[in-house]
Amino acid sequence: MFRDNLCQLRKLNGLSQEELAEKVNVSRQTLSKWESGESAPDLERAAALAEVFGVTLDDLVNYESTVEGLSPPPRGKHIFGVVAVGEKGQIVLPAAARKIFDIDPGDRLLVLGDETQGLALMREDVIFERLVKPFLDEDGH
């Protein structure tokens, strides 16, 4: 996983092995060995690579794409995989998404849409906290 993620992220960012090696203070040969799986970086160098690419260290090392060709997502972003839309438009959110965003059965979600960018879901309580509450007075009116 690591070597695949490293190669993919380097190419996605338009960097040569030499350019990336320079950014993390190693030789091109060392970077080449990491990409071939011949060796692996120490923790300090792995963290430097993650910083260069703007991904988490965990994703750099462990990310396994659920969709062919997707690289590890930027820090704080997630790719949970593909879900099927049911007959009546229902979807099942992946367990990892429900855990990270603390979504429980019965929670209400606001569905937002942009015809060029797609759909987004937001928790109803988050909408209240961010959009409604700032406009209420101290008594909640």
Side-chain angles (χ1 to χ4, degrees), residues 92-141:
V92 175
L93 298 176
R98 293 190 312 265
K99 181 179 178 186
I100 289 172
F101 293 100
D102 193 26
I103 298 171
D104 296 313
D107 284 353
R108 294 169 47 97
L109 303 175
L110 175 66
V111 180
L112 304 171
D114 180 308
E115 291 182 11
T116 60
Q117 296 184 13
L119 297 172
L121 302 173
M122 289 190 74
R123 291 172 47 104
E124 183 181 50
D125 58 331
V126 171
I127 295 296
F128 178 78
E129 288 293 319
R130 292 189 182 168
L131 299 179
V132 178
K133 194 174 181 182
F135 295 102
L136 298 177
D137 61 24
E138 292 175 10
D139 298 327
H141 299 97

Side-chain angles (χ1 to χ4, degrees), residues 2 5 29 34 71-72 95 102 113 129 136:
F2 167 74
N5 293 336
Q29 292 81 0
W34 295 346
S71 62
D102 193 26
E129 288 293 319
L136 298 177

Side-chain angles (χ1 to χ4, degrees), residues 48-110:
L49 287 167
E51 185 66 31
V52 166
F53 297 130
V55 300
T56 65
L57 182 56
D58 183 52
D59 278 343
L60 176 64
V61 174
N62 297 314
Y63 179 77
E64 194 167 351
S65 178
T66 56
V67 178
E68 185 65 32
L70 288 181
S71 62
R75 195 174 281 116
K77 309 288 184 188
H78 304 274
I79 300 172
F80 295 108
V82 177
V83 297
V85 178
E87 198 173 289
K88 296 181 180 179
Q90 69 275 28
I91 61 170
V92 175
L93 298 176
R98 293 190 312 265
K99 181 179 178 186
I100 289 172
F101 293 100
D102 193 26
I103 298 171
D104 296 313
D107 284 353
R108 294 169 47 97
L109 303 175
L110 175 66

